[in-house]
Amino acid sequence: MSRWFRSEHMEYISLIVNEDAAHDCLADLGKLSAIQFTDLNPDLTPFQRRYVSYVRRCDELERKLRFFGNECDNFGLKLDTAGDIDTFLESSSGSGRAITAGGGDKKGTQLLESLEVELD
């Protein structure tokens, strides 16, 4: 467990990561819980940032899933859980594959896109 005291020795470094590897790299650094980020664009509002379309996409998908869950409850249908997010991330990042209900193998992003299409 890391400590965040003012007297702790810290270094200010600049880390330049390829965009394709940034998500995995930042996820691994975040698991260490020993890193702090500095916003290099503090003048941008949250809606002007590059990732806002992804956040909206996830919010919309979450809304659709919540709607279908409520409708299943209204009709008395029992839903089985597919597991938690950590299990999904481990299965898709550990082997690079996630197994879908249809039996085929897909990567996590492909699985998310196929779920979006099915929910529309």
Side-chain angles (χ1 to χ4, degrees):
M1 177 69 60
S2 62
R3 298 175 301 218
W4 290 89
F5 298 115
R6 291 181 67 135
S7 60
E8 285 288 323
H9 176 71
M10 298 179 109
E11 292 183 36
Y12 188 81
I13 63 168
S14 177
L15 181 65
I16 300 171
V17 181
N18 185 340
E19 191 171 349
D20 295 337
H23 185 271
D24 293 333
C25 180
L26 293 179
D28 291 342
L29 288 172
K31 289 176 185 174
L32 294 175
S33 67
I35 192 166
Q36 181 176 348
F37 294 97
T38 303
D39 189 359
L40 297 178
N41 300 311
D43 54 328
L44 290 179
T45 66
F47 297 107
Q48 294 174 324
R49 298 188 182 268
R50 294 176 54 189
Y51 57 81
V52 80
S53 63
Y54 297 115
V55 173
R56 286 185 181 150
R57 181 178 168 192
C58 290
D59 285 342
E60 181 64 16
L61 185 60
E62 184 180 19
R63 184 193 65 78
K64 289 177 183 178
L65 290 172
R66 195 171 41 249
F67 171 77
F68 283 113
N70 290 337
E71 289 298 306
C72 289
D73 290 343
N74 291 341
F75 286 101
L77 300 174
K78 186 177 188 306
L79 299 176
D80 292 330
T81 180
D84 60 354
I85 292 175
D86 292 331
T87 305
F88 173 76
L89 291 175
E90 286 174 8
S91 67
S92 63
S93 67
S95 65
R97 297 275 194 210
I99 298 177
T100 64
D105 289 345
K106 293 185 178 181
K107 291 191 176 196
T109 54
Q110 292 172 334
L111 180 59
L112 179 64
E113 289 172 2
S114 67
L115 287 174
E116 281 181 320
V117 169
E118 288 178 26
L119 288 175
D120 282 337

